[in-house]
Amino acid sequence: MVQHKFTMDLTWSEGRNGTGNIQASNLQTQISIPQEMNGPGIGTNPDEMLLGAAATCYLITLAALFERSEIDVLELSMQAQGFVSVENGIFTYEKIVHKPTIIVQELTEHLEKRLLRLAYKAEQTCMISKALKGNVVIECDVQILEASI
C-alpha cells in the first residue's frame, strides 16, 4: 500500500470572528468565517474549501475518465455549488451540486450516453466524494454541447 501525506500549517488570531492563514505546498491564503455566517468574510473559509476539494477532485476524475475512454473533449468547465443550512444555530453542509459543461466536436446520441455515464461515474469514484458519502449529498447537473463551427 502506498500512502500519501499532505501537510497544511495554520495560524489563527482572536476569537470566533478573528482571521487566520493557511499554507500548504501550493496554497497560501487567509481564512475566516464567511459574512453569510456573521463572520468577517476575509479570505476563504471551510465551506468554500470543502466545495473546492469536492469540485476539483470531481473535475480531475472526470478528465481522467475521458482520457482513459479516449474521448476527445474540446472544452471541460464546471460550476459547483455548496448548500449549508442553519437550524437552531447548528450549521450543516447538506449538498454539493457539480455542474460540468462538456463540449465536443460532434455530438451523437451514443457519445452523449457515454459522456453522461462517465460524468456520473466520476462522482462515484472521486476520492473526496467517497469521503463525504453518507454525510453530504452530491448531485451532478451535466450539460453536453456540440461545438459551434
Side-chain angles (χ1 to χ4, degrees), residues 21-75:
N21 290 289
I22 58 174
Q23 184 169 351
S25 61
N26 292 303
L27 174 67
Q28 183 175 344
T29 190
Q30 289 184 293
I31 56 172
S32 73
I33 293 175
Q35 286 182 330
E36 297 87 349
M37 297 177 179
N38 299 316
I42 296 171
T44 190
N45 57 69
D47 309 286
E48 286 178 341
M49 292 193 64
L50 181 63
L51 179 60
T56 55
C57 184
Y58 173 81
L59 193 61
I60 292 167
T61 301
L62 182 56
L65 288 173
F66 289 158
E67 181 179 283
R68 283 189 213 122
S69 299
E70 298 181 352
I71 296 174
D72 187 26
V73 172
L74 296 178
E75 186 178 318

Side-chain angles (χ1 to χ4, degrees), residues 16-17 32-40 45-48 50 82-95 135-136:
R16 178 194 184 279
N17 284 326
S32 73
I33 293 175
Q35 286 182 330
E36 297 87 349
M37 297 177 179
N38 299 316
N45 57 69
D47 309 286
E48 286 178 341
L50 181 63
F83 297 87
V84 176
S85 67
V86 184
E87 189 173 330
N88 299 323
I90 297 171
F91 294 89
T92 303
Y93 213 117
E94 289 188 347
K95 179 170 68 170
N135 293 307
V136 178

Side-chain angles (χ1 to χ4, degrees), residues 51 115 119 128 140:
L51 179 60
L115 291 168
I128 302 298
C140 294

